[in-house]
């Protein structure tokens, strides 16, 4: 199977003479006889490496079988021609492209059964051939969409799961990121389709796992979620920034929608906020201040507030708070202000001010996220207390946080372990210390630093006095003269 062999003879005259003769035989009802004549000349032109003549003959063979609606002959001819000894790559490629173009008409006119037979024939012919990797990917995508459509039509949950898994598996087998013959945009579309189907399968498995209350860390759709994360890394975000990929509902928004779903499954709120920020920075979205742009900015604030405190989270929150666009969203601006200002936020007050509004949003209608917001408020309050107090009784801290003693201690310990605050709890005395005992070395370093500052001030004062005395001396000398 090579195109490198030198052409030995030109069979164009013979092909020109045979094609009308074969067509006449086919039209008279002698399909097999007409095709057999074409096969005889096809062998001669193929052995002579006449690519042009062989292509014409091969395309004529499959065309006659297709026009006669004889799918048995069509499928057999495709497989036979692709397996012929010394068959040229360009001939097989031309034949496959010709047959792929018939698929929509076959499905509409001849039914799904014939369409599936032809599709499987194409998948068999293209299997293992690098020069046909792109056509194989395209027909596999069609088959995957067929199984997905079947899954959406069935009422049985088990059958739906089985069909979705089948659709996902056959598409995930394609390593399109390695295909050199496929355009970059088409590669990205395939990867996004793989991710979308994986998420559909993962959600079904997660729902089943939740019903069975499985405890296994890799239970449910965890395997599919991992593959989604891997798929997300295959997409070049710089490519998505190109103008043609930023059209609404196109590649960029599809990609970030899938990544948001993955991040929410992992409860990675900071990553979710970052993805929404990328969506909001899309010109077409940012300009839509009353609809999509507003919704994206709202989600950024909600998820950055939900994210656990860190330097990155704090930096992102402060940048958003100082963004003029946020001033147009009064409720979200005030919510961000509460977390930016180093003051206590009492949960009952936050709940009364923002509870009714926030619980109606798609973000906080989820009970888990509402509980996470409560936890972020508590953590903020502990950081504020640690900022203003050196020592505080556990009873007083509990009242400030509006929690039980057990919940207060549990939350405080989690923040200490996470490195957010430094604290030590004296349980017998019921006292929390927020300042670590300093070592002798730290005390000496602070004393040394203070002494250097003091000596610097003394030297600056002395130099100022000398300058003043010199000026007075010049004035006296001038007046005496």
């Amino acid at each position: 199977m090579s195109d490198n062999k030198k052409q030995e003879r030109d069979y164009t005259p013979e092909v020109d003479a045979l094609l009308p003769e074969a067509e006449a035989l086919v039209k008279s009802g002698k399909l097999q006889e007409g095709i057999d004549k074409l096969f005889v000349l096809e062998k001669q032109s193929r052995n002579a490496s006449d690519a042009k003549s062989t292509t014409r003959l091969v395309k004529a063979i499959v065309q006659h079988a297709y026009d006669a609606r004889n799918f048995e002959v069509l499928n057999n001819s495709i497989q036979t021609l692709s397996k012929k000894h010394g068959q040229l790559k360009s001939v097989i490629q031309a034949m496959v492209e010709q047959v792929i173009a018939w698929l929509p008409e076959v499905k509409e006119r001849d039914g799904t059964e014939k369409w599936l037979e032809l599709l499987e024939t194409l998948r068999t012919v293209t299997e293992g051939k690098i020069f046909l990797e792109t056509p194989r990917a395209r027909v596999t995508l069609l088959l995957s969409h067929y199984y997905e459509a079947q899954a959406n039509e069935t009422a049985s949950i088990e059958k739906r799961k089985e069909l979705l898994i089948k659709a996902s598996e056959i598409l995930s087998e394609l390593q399109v990121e390695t295909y050199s013959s496929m355009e970059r945009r088409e590669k990205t579309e395939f990867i996004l389709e793989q991710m979308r189907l994986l998420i559909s399968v993962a959600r079904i498995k997660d729902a089943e796992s939740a019903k069975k209350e499985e405890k296994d860390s890799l239970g449910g759709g965890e395997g599919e979620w991992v593959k989604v994360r891997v798929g997300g890394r295959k997409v070049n975000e710089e490519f998505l920034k190109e103008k043609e990929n930023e059209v609404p509902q196109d590649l960029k928004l599809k990609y970030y929608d899938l990544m948001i779903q993955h991040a929410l499954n992992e409860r990675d709120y900071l990553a979710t906020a970052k993805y929404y920020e990328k969506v909001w920075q899309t010109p077409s979205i940012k300009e839509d201040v009353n609809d999509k742009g507003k919704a994206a900015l709202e989600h950024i604030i909600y998820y950055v507030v939900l994210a656990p405190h860190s330097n990155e989270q704090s930096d992102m929150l402060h940048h958003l708070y100082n963004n003029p666009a946020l001033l147009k969203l009064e409720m979200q601006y005030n919510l961000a202000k509460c977390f930016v200002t180093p003051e206590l936020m009492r949960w009952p007050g936050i709940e009364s001010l923002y509870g009714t509004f926030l619980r109606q949003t798609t973000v906080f209608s989820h009970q888990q996220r509402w509980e996470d917001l409560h936890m972020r408020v508590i953590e903020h309050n502990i950081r504020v207390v640690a900022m203003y107090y050196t020592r505080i009784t556990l009873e007083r801290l509990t009242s400030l946080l509006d929690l039980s003693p057990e919940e207060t201690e549990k939350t405080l310990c989690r923040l200490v372990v996470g490195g957010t605050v430094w604290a030590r709890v004296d349980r017998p005395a019921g006292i929390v210390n927020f300042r670590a005992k300093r070592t002798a070395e730290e005390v000496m370093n602070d004393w040394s630093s203070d002494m250097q500052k003091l000596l610097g001030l003394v030297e600056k004062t002395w130099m100022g006095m000398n300058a003043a005395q010199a000026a007075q001396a010049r004035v006296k000398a001038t007046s005496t003269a």
Side-chain angles (χ1 to χ4, degrees), residues 102-121:
W102 296 335
L103 287 172
E105 184 182 351
V106 171
K107 189 174 185 180
E108 182 179 352
R109 191 168 73 173
D110 301 293
T112 304
E113 186 178 347
K114 299 296 183 185
W115 178 80
L116 281 172
E117 289 177 4
L118 188 57
L119 205 63
E120 288 297 343
T121 299

Side-chain angles (χ1 to χ4, degrees), residues 192-296:
L192 295 184
E193 279 298 293
Q194 289 173 341
M195 293 169 62
R196 184 182 64 79
L197 284 170
L198 284 168
I199 289 176
S200 298
V201 174
R203 293 197 185 284
I204 288 181
K205 289 186 175 181
D206 286 342
E208 285 186 351
S209 180
K211 289 180 181 178
K212 296 177 182 177
E213 297 182 354
E214 293 179 357
K215 303 295 183 181
D216 186 1
S217 59
L218 291 177
E222 185 63 27
E224 281 70 23
W225 287 116
V226 171
K227 291 178 183 177
V228 172
R229 182 171 67 248
V230 173
R233 292 172 181 169
K234 296 177 183 177
V235 178
N236 189 331
E237 293 190 46
E238 292 300 318
F239 172 68
L240 295 177
K241 291 180 182 178
E242 295 178 10
K243 189 174 181 181
E244 59 270 21
N245 298 323
E246 292 191 347
V247 179
Q249 306 304 322
D250 211 350
L251 292 185
K252 182 178 180 180
L253 299 185
K254 287 179 181 177
Y255 170 73
Y256 285 118
D257 177 59
L258 294 171
M259 294 309 296
I260 286 168
Q261 293 182 55
H262 174 266
L264 288 177
N265 178 72
E266 301 292 322
R267 289 178 64 188
D268 188 348
Y269 297 130
L270 185 59
T272 305
K274 289 179 181 178
Y275 292 138
Y276 269 113
E277 187 174 33
K278 296 288 181 65
V279 172
W280 181 65
Q281 288 172 352
T282 305
S284 56
I285 298 295
K286 200 168 187 178
E287 291 166 4
D288 190 1
V289 295
N290 295 322
D291 190 9
K292 294 179 180 177
K294 178 184 175 183

Side-chain angles (χ1 to χ4, degrees), residues 67-78:
D67 291 341
R69 319 314 293 175
N70 192 327
F71 285 94
E72 183 180 356
V73 174
L74 175 61
N75 290 320
N76 290 336
S77 298
I78 293 171

Side-chain angles (χ1 to χ4, degrees), residues 16-85:
D16 290 340
L18 182 60
L19 287 179
E21 181 184 342
E23 186 176 358
L25 285 170
V26 171
K27 286 183 177 179
S28 65
K30 300 177 181 179
L31 173 64
Q32 193 60 52
E33 186 177 342
I35 287 179
D36 287 342
K37 284 181 172 292
L38 293 172
F39 265 109
V40 173
L41 187 58
E42 182 273 335
K43 180 179 180 180
Q44 297 175 14
S45 64
R46 170 166 40 86
N47 290 334
S49 298
D50 184 356
K52 184 177 179 181
S53 297
T54 306
T55 301
R56 290 176 64 192
L57 290 166
V58 166
K59 293 179 75 171
I61 291 170
V62 294
Q63 184 70 56
H64 289 319
Y66 176 66
D67 291 341
R69 319 314 293 175
N70 192 327
F71 285 94
E72 183 180 356
V73 174
L74 175 61
N75 290 320
N76 290 336
S77 298
I78 293 171
Q79 295 195 44
T80 301
L81 289 166
S82 66
K83 294 177 182 178
K84 289 287 186 180
H85 176 70

